[in-house]
Amino acid sequence: TGVAPVELLDLDAALDALTREDRSLAQLVEMRYFGGMTAEETAEAAPAERQGAVAGTEAALDRALAIPAGCA
C-alpha cells in the first residue's frame, strides 16, 4: 500500500525536469494527475494554445519519468 519514498522522489525529479522543458505542460500534468481533474476539466482550464497538449499529458509524464536519476 502506498508509494515508496524513492518513487516519490523520482516523480518529483521528473516533474521538475518536465517543468524546465515545458512549464505549461507540467502544469497540465499536475492538474490532471494531482489536482484530480478529468481530461475534459484540464482541457477547459488550459490556455487555448495548449488544449491539444492535454491529450499528451500521459506521454509527457512517461517521458519525464524516463529521465535517468541524477540527470534531472
Side-chain angles (χ1 to χ4, degrees):
T1 65
V3 177
V6 173
E7 292 173 357
L8 290 176
L9 292 175
D10 290 342
L11 179 58
D12 184 56
L15 284 172
D16 285 346
L18 182 58
T19 298
R20 287 190 300 275
E21 181 183 320
D22 188 334
R23 185 180 226 12
S24 63
L25 187 55
Q27 290 172 334
L28 292 174
V29 168
E30 289 175 353
M31 284 189 279
R32 176 76 173 99
Y33 294 97
F34 303 107
M37 296 174 78
T38 65
E40 293 80 17
E41 291 168 333
T42 306
E44 289 174 13
E49 68 275 6
R50 293 308 308 235
Q51 289 187 359
V54 171
T57 57
E58 287 181 38
L61 186 56
D62 288 344
R63 185 176 70 246
L65 287 170
I67 297 170
C71 294

